[in-house]
Amino acid sequence: MTTYFNYPSAELQKELRGIANAIVTPGKGILAADESAGTMGKRLASVGLENTEENRRRYRQILFTADKELGNYVSGVILFHETLYQKADDGTPFVQLIKNLGIIPGIKTDCGMVPLMGSEGENTTQGLDDLAQRCAQYKKDGCQFAKWRCALKIGKNTPSYLAILENANVLARYASISQMHGLVPIVEPEVLMEGSHDLDRAQKVTETVLAFTYKALNDHHVFLEGTLLKPNMVLPGQECPIKYTPEQAAEFQLLCQELCFLSGGQSEEEATAHLNAINKCTAAKKPWALTFSYGRALQASAIKAWKGSDAKAGQAELLKRARANSLASLGKYETGSVAGVAGKDDLFVKNHQY
Ligand code: 13P
């Protein structure tokens, strides 16, 4: 075995580091608006709308024409392929609207999950074959970062060695290809909230998954300063009989040391309260920014208030949630102080696909 490898050129290192740092500016996080057409269909159905390309465009338009204040709380937006090439009513490309808000456009590059044969319902994520060409094109079209999600289930015998190893490897291969094309990879190994496991088990599994992921990133010579980690928060399973306070959960978190969390099916208020408690927790030193990269927990109230026609109401809800999470990323949120129209709604989805 040799440990020799070449670093990326000084120029590429500078570019990747610059993008990653701009995304984790203190008090800012990411809006994950990269729901695939299928997932968007479920969101639109919840407000009685048909899943057409036009309705998906009209909904995304309200997000990207929100008040400029959004740029104070949100540093990056993750887009789905279709959205990247859509335009507002007046013909302005969405990418341009996002840049006008001072927000960095990013793109989901994974192509969804497929089953691992012989496993207990486990998956890997596909999309590597033409990834290099797609990354090159996305970079030309204005994206500065990418996202790839893998999901692992906690059960009696899962996650298995195969699932942990395979998902770590595919994430590392994706990260390496993204960096070669100037995109900062968001590495997302999500340990799902599905199940009845307690906080201890969630913490142990998350730690193991992250350890495998970092070993794979190192094996693939990925330039770590030019990556962002998007992990699950360490939380008990959805059906766990033991209830924990956000402060109790926060202490478990810090043993893993993370960066921009996904919300994973928590309600809007829970996701904000947990992020706040993590940032307030003094039980361990926090060497990195700990912020948000939320999909459901930033948009549930926005789509509910929009209902297909009320852009202003939808945008006001988005801004409220973005501001609340910006405060939480600084540990300055007062629990319960920002009520959204979907505030306590359960956003958990079994077998969630993005
Ligand atoms: P949630 O915050 O809704 O879990 O989604 C974030 C995300 O980007 C999942 O891939």
Side-chain angles (χ1 to χ4, degrees), residues 21-48:
N21 284 341
I23 295 173
V24 292
T25 303
K28 294 192 190 186
I30 299 171
L31 167 62
D34 60 319
E35 298 87 353
S36 60
T39 300
M40 233 10 252
K42 292 178 202 147
R43 305 278 196 276
L44 290 169
S46 74
V47 290

Side-chain angles (χ1 to χ4, degrees), residues 32 34 147 149 188 230 262-265 293-297 354:
D34 60 319
K147 175 197 121 170
R149 173 178 183 256
E188 183 176 350
K230 174 162 173 165
L262 55 92
S263 61
S293 177
Y294 293 167
R296 281 163 284 180
Y354 222 73

Side-chain angles (χ1 to χ4, degrees), residues 53-327:
E53 181 173 350
E54 177 57 6
N55 279 341
R56 295 194 291 273
R57 188 196 66 83
R58 289 196 319 113
Y59 172 61
R60 261 67 180 252
Q61 173 169 258
I62 70 151
L63 305 179
F64 310 142
T65 54
D67 191 275
K68 223 172 163 23
E69 189 188 343
L70 188 66
N72 297 341
Y73 316 125
V74 170
S75 52
V77 177
I78 316 173
L79 302 167
F80 181 58
H81 177 90
E82 173 186 274
T83 321
L84 176 64
Y85 298 102
Q86 285 176 327
K87 296 178 177 155
D89 294 344
D90 68 0
T92 315
F94 280 172
V95 203
Q96 194 52 51
L97 288 178
I98 293 166
K99 288 187 192 162
N100 294 348
L101 289 168
I103 297 176
I104 305 170
I107 182 83
K108 184 228 301 282
T109 52
D110 72 64
C111 298
M113 294 191 293
V114 284
L116 282 172
M117 183 176 154
S119 72
E120 291 191 3
E122 297 185 290
N123 297 301
T124 184
T125 300
Q126 61 184 348
L128 287 181
D129 278 2
D130 59 349
L131 183 61
Q133 296 90 305
R134 291 191 290 128
C135 284
Q137 191 62 48
Y138 289 142
K139 180 79 183 184
K140 273 198 204 129
D141 297 338
C143 296
Q144 301 297 339
F145 67 100
K147 175 197 121 170
W148 183 291
R149 173 178 183 256
C150 285
L152 295 120
K153 280 182 211 167
I154 300 186
K156 185 164 164 289
N157 304 311
T158 65
S160 65
Y161 178 75
L162 167 69
I164 298 176
L165 190 68
E166 159 58 24
N167 282 292
N169 200 60
V170 84
L171 279 168
R173 187 78 195 102
Y174 138 79
S176 144
I177 295 170
S178 305
Q179 290 195 330
M180 280 173 73
H181 295 280
L183 298 177
V184 164
I186 295 189
V187 174
E188 183 176 350
E190 176 176 0
V191 177
L192 298 167
M193 273 169 66
E194 213 164 306
S196 55
H197 52 274
D198 63 12
L199 204 45
D200 276 309
R201 178 128 162 84
Q203 201 260 324
K204 182 68 188 157
V205 171
T206 303
E207 225 175 76
T208 304
V209 167
L210 292 182
F212 271 71
T213 304
Y214 275 84
K215 170 73 167 78
L217 291 173
N218 180 268
D219 286 347
H220 285 256
H221 312 315
V222 171
F223 173 58
L224 286 184
E225 291 156 81
T227 63
L228 294 173
L229 175 65
K230 174 162 173 165
N232 51 286
M233 289 185 187
V234 174
L235 295 173
Q238 192 68 11
E239 289 156 24
C240 175
I242 312 167
K243 295 291 161 231
Y244 303 85
T245 63
E247 288 70 28
Q248 286 169 324
E251 288 184 20
F252 278 73
Q253 225 67 233
L254 297 170
L255 303 174
C256 295
Q257 301 171 330
E258 355 259 35
L259 213 124
C260 58
F261 297 103
L262 55 92
S263 61
Q266 301 172 67
S267 71
E268 288 184 336
E269 181 56 26
E270 279 169 344
T272 311
H274 278 129
L275 182 63
N276 192 55
I278 291 165
N279 277 296
K280 273 178 86 168
C281 180
T282 50
K285 284 213 179 80
K286 286 158 269 185
W288 295 291
L290 299 160
T291 188
F292 58 92
S293 177
Y294 293 167
R296 281 163 284 180
L298 269 179
Q299 296 180 67
S301 287
I303 194 163
K304 202 168 174 177
W306 171 60
K307 288 198 239 56
S309 55
D310 196 342
K312 288 242 163 339
Q315 288 168 340
E317 290 294 328
L318 173 68
L319 270 180
K320 268 205 278 188
R321 240 32 258 173
R323 199 181 304 121
N325 284 301
S326 163
L327 285 170

